[in-house]
Amino acid sequence: MKAITYHKYGSADVLRFEDVDVPTPGVKEVLVKVHACSINDFDWGLLRGKPFVNKAINGFRKPRRTILGSDIAGEVVETGKEVTQFQKGDKVFGDISNYWGGFAEFVCAKENLLTFKPDFLSYTEAAALPQAGVLALQGVLDKMKVSEGQHVLINGAGGGSGSFAIQLAKHLGAEVTGVDSSIKLENMLKLGADQVIDYTKQDFTKNISSYDIIIDIYGTHGILDYKRALKPGGIYKMIGGSSSTIIQTMLFGSVISLFSNKKLGIIAHKPNKNLQTLLELADTGIIKPIVDKVFKLKDTAKAFEYFGNGLTMGKVVIDISGEN
């Protein structure tokens, strides 16, 4: 089968379009013919080995898992002998980030990582939903409990998780400020943001005591800067960002939270958590996966290069089967 591989850390130029063996499913696994797979920040970090935690996950000297891709949508073509949920021909999707391997024509995954793909989502849309949508849902509903009238700021609101977070926060009645680059401002307004900030022209952390909730996808400031921007009783949660901000938040977030009325912490990635809730929201039109561009499998390196420039509005998806 054809797959996108990498054998050393680096930028998009280390990716290779190669022939590899079709994997064989274990007893509790299914083999999926992949129709689409989207790029996430997690993939970008594992490709580069940055932040350093990604090398801890996937090997310090070189990648242990040589095929990236976790958000897949496709069709079951074979099942392990103990699989009970799926059968050959079922359309499925999900976040298989415990396995990876999605940027390939076939991939194996445990059945509990997959969900039936509904007909109202194309394969492309389904592949754009799991990881970014779940992280946004964790931020807006699970950890933050956003409610009507609160002022919510989303740093990195124009990307994958950010685009979902805007839609979810607006659905709950919040006043939403989206922060991203100038090219994404119009798109954030279309998604429902009440105000938008171009981070190259304005530093939102200098807006003292302005926000009830900050959902941080980029992690570009120091933890004390975020604390300053929160209202009394405010909450800051980090989804992604630089190594320094991650370390600061892990080390000092709980201390600040203990000795102040402002709470700061990290949202841990929990694959597929409340994915059915996302499907219900998508089915009723409350949220919609925003797909920026679609690339063919052989052009995955170009897709990563485009993703890495930081100008992606929504999700970048790889069309693998041509049936999307």
Side-chain angles (χ1 to χ4, degrees), residues 12 23 26 117 197 216 237 313:
K117 184 190 80 66
I197 294 174
D216 193 14
K237 287 293 181 179
M313 293 178 283

Side-chain angles (χ1 to χ4, degrees), residues 36-58:
C37 183
S38 69
I39 299 177
N40 289 299
D41 284 332
F42 209 168
D43 298 297
W44 180 241
L46 286 171
L47 173 65
R48 297 177 302 138
K50 298 178 182 179
F52 187 74
V53 66
N54 287 298
K55 287 188 176 180
I57 292 170
N58 202 32

Side-chain angles (χ1 to χ4, degrees), residues 2 48 77 82 181 212 218 238 241 247 251 254:
K2 295 294 186 181
R48 297 177 302 138
V77 293
E82 294 184 14
S181 60
D212 296 291
Y218 282 173
M238 182 181 187
I247 292 170
L251 291 179
S254 58

Side-chain angles (χ1 to χ4, degrees), residues 93 117-123 125-126 129 276 278-285 287-289:
F93 79 112
K117 184 190 80 66
D119 290 338
F120 65 81
L121 290 177
S122 68
Y123 284 112
E125 291 171 328
L129 185 63
Q276 287 297 331
L278 282 175
L279 285 179
E280 292 168 8
L281 293 168
D283 189 21
T284 55
I287 63 168
K288 177 179 175 59

Side-chain angles (χ1 to χ4, degrees), residues 56-118:
I57 292 170
N58 202 32
F60 291 104
R61 297 183 61 188
K62 62 180 182 179
R64 286 194 300 268
R65 300 178 183 88
T66 57
I67 303 176
L68 296 170
S70 61
D71 276 4
I72 67 163
E75 181 181 345
V76 175
V77 293
E78 186 179 344
T79 62
K81 63 181 181 181
E82 294 184 14
V83 169
T84 59
Q85 184 177 355
F86 302 111
Q87 60 185 0
K88 184 177 179 180
D90 286 339
K91 298 176 181 179
V92 296
F93 79 112
D95 176 356
I96 62 167
S97 53
N98 292 331
Y99 278 67
W100 305 95
F103 296 124
E105 292 179 313
F106 297 91
V107 68
C108 286
K110 283 191 175 181
E111 63 174 333
N112 63 359
L113 297 178
L114 298 171
T115 299
F116 288 103
K117 184 190 80 66

